[in-house]
Amino acid sequence: MNAHTLIEKLVRFEGADLLDVIDDIEGIASRNGYRVNVIDPDIKNGSIDHDFSRLNVRTDKDLVITSFTIG
């Protein structure tokens, strides 16, 4: 599965509480060769490198999922 298709599959989780859906997200990601990296806006804004097998899950301060990116 390419990155674009993966993100299309995960967009349904946007707006959900991370703790309620993280197992589903990790399952989808791992079955497709991706690792999950949760980005907390209070701690870090992004990664210092680009890894094509990393699924970034962006959240707000309440751990509500705002978006997904690859890298």
Side-chain angles (χ1 to χ4, degrees), residues 37-58:
N37 177 44
V38 177
I39 298 176
D40 182 334
D42 291 335
I43 296 172
K44 62 182 191 177
N45 294 325
S47 300
I48 60 172
D49 64 347
H50 191 76
D51 180 348
F52 292 104
S53 66
R54 182 175 53 224
L55 170 67
N56 296 308
V57 181
R58 297 182 185 281

